Amino acid sequence: MIFPKVLQSLQNVHGIMQRWIEQILPNPGKRRPREILRLIRHKYHEEETGTEAGITASKKSLPGKSKRFLNILWDEWKGRRWLSVICHPAFLQRQYSPEILAGLCSFLQKESRVRPEGIGQDLYFALCTAYGFFTDTDDRAAESQAKSAVPGAKRGYARMKELLAAHPSHREYAQDLQCWSEFKREYVEDIKNTIAAFANCDGGALYIGVDDDGTVRGIDNVDD
């Protein structure tokens, strides 16, 4: 009877040491997805803190100003829009990985229990934009990409779509998302006109996806 208890104790110690090693030693393959998920959670909770819905998100649980996520200071991330997160190369390279999809599903499930009103509209739109949810043309392309990704991606993709569809304001938000395709066509047409104007004059530098004040907003698909 003693041997099984000793074996169980050794297994517990091994598990603790393994988790400790994973946290201390550099392992970009595992650390980067966790870093992305922490950034998303912290950014969302930071936005919710100070509102009636986010009183439970204590400032004490948020990172310090000097903390970095994806080599960018947390203090800078706080002022950026969600588009900066989903357009970051680290997210784009891993968005269909099982770790990211499972982490996002877990986050959405937890928030649905804590806040019956659902996640905020900005994050909802960001996730739908990143994965092509509820937009007729992008939805099929994104689903095809999920199927061709690593095993488990299709299941995680479907689960996240299901969780977002269960959002209390889903019908209202989805209607707004249907306007995205029309907005994108107008946006692209405006860019074409600007490029033509530059070409017919003396030329110059044209920055696409950057506001007049220099803030980088990014674009969803450079091929479009």
Side-chain angles (χ1 to χ4, degrees), residues 11 15 74 100 116 144 167 201 212:
Q11 289 175 338
W74 164 245
I100 293 294
S144 175
H167 192 287
C201 296
D212 293 339

Side-chain angles (χ1 to χ4, degrees), residues 125-195:
F125 277 14
L127 292 176
C128 289
T129 300
Y131 291 97
F133 292 140
F134 315 124
T135 55
D136 295 337
T137 54
D138 295 336
D139 202 10
R140 290 189 294 272
E143 188 171 0
S144 175
Q145 189 171 353
K147 290 179 180 178
S148 62
V150 294
K154 180 182 177 182
R155 184 169 58 253
Y157 174 89
R159 177 56 179 157
M160 182 159 56
K161 184 176 182 180
E162 180 182 299
L163 289 168
L164 289 171
H167 192 287
S169 301
H170 165 67
R171 181 173 296 181
E172 174 189 345
Y173 289 174
Q175 288 177 347
D176 291 340
L177 281 166
Q178 293 302 320
C179 301
W180 174 247
S181 297
E182 183 63 31
F183 169 77
K184 187 165 64 174
R185 282 194 291 270
E186 294 178 2
Y187 180 72
V188 170
E189 189 62 33
D190 185 56
I191 291 176
K192 290 179 181 178
N193 293 336
T194 304
I195 293 175

Side-chain angles (χ1 to χ4, degrees), residues 3 6 46 51 57 83 85 91 93 101 105 114 122 125 128 130 163 173 181-183 197 212 224:
F3 181 74
V6 172
E46 194 277 335
T51 65
L83 191 61
V85 178
F91 178 83
Q93 291 168 4
L101 289 169
C105 287
V114 176
D122 289 345
F125 277 14
C128 289
L163 289 168
Y173 289 174
S181 297
E182 183 63 31
F183 169 77
D212 293 339
D224 289 344

Side-chain angles (χ1 to χ4, degrees), residues 39-45 47 77 80-88 107 120-127 217:
L39 169 62
I40 291 173
R41 287 196 299 267
H42 287 318
K43 183 168 174 59
Y44 178 71
H45 289 148
E47 291 179 350
W77 275 118
R80 294 190 175 194
R81 295 188 180 183
W82 282 105
L83 191 61
S84 299
V85 178
I86 65 172
C87 287
H88 193 284
F107 168 75
Q121 186 180 39
D122 289 345
L123 177 55
Y124 183 95
F125 277 14
L127 292 176
R217 302 300 181 190

Side-chain angles (χ1 to χ4, degrees), residues 92-109:
L92 293 174
Q93 291 168 4
R94 299 168 177 83
Q95 70 178 98
Y96 289 102
S97 69
E99 294 86 357
I100 293 294
L101 289 169
L104 289 173
C105 287
S106 176
F107 168 75
L108 291 171
Q109 285 178 305

